[in-house]
Amino acid sequence: MDEGVTAVRRQFPARIRAIDDLSSRSEDFREICRDFADAQSELEKWKVSTDPKRNERVVEYRELIAELSKEIEGALDASVPPTAR
């Protein structure tokens, strides 16, 4: 399984079925998932960094993760037929 999809499954465990379904048919969604995993990885690196820009980068990556989370949720919501919600 794609590392990005795995990260998104961990973030949204209640939506695993929808994540698996959408990721199986959408390269765009898989790309968003990879971006999400990359941002989480970078956040973890910056959290332990001694670089003077540490705090600034941590804030930036947290914001990026929040934005990607909203984008992922929107894609998942859009992929589910209204009658199945």
Side-chain angles (χ1 to χ4, degrees), residues 21-39:
D21 180 56
L22 186 54
S23 68
S24 72
R25 56 188 167 84
S26 173
E27 178 59 34
D28 289 341
F29 183 72
R30 289 190 301 274
E31 183 63 33
I32 296 167
C33 292
R34 283 190 287 273
D35 292 345
F36 180 82
D38 290 346

Side-chain angles (χ1 to χ4, degrees), residues 3-50:
E3 179 184 325
V5 173
T6 300
V8 171
R9 290 174 96 222
R10 277 193 304 268
Q11 183 71 22
F12 302 99
R15 303 196 73 179
I16 287 176
R17 179 179 282 158
I19 292 164
D20 290 349
D21 180 56
L22 186 54
S23 68
S24 72
R25 56 188 167 84
S26 173
E27 178 59 34
D28 289 341
F29 183 72
R30 289 190 301 274
E31 183 63 33
I32 296 167
C33 292
R34 283 190 287 273
D35 292 345
F36 180 82
D38 290 346
Q40 283 187 321
S41 178
E42 287 300 312
L43 173 62
E44 292 308 311
K45 289 177 191 174
W46 279 105
K47 284 166 72 174
V48 297
S49 174
T50 58

Side-chain angles (χ1 to χ4, degrees), residues 46 52-63:
W46 279 105
K53 299 242 182 208
R54 175 190 171 271
N55 291 339
E56 182 181 336
R57 296 294 179 258
V58 166
V59 169
E60 289 172 359
Y61 277 103
R62 283 185 176 150
E63 289 173 357

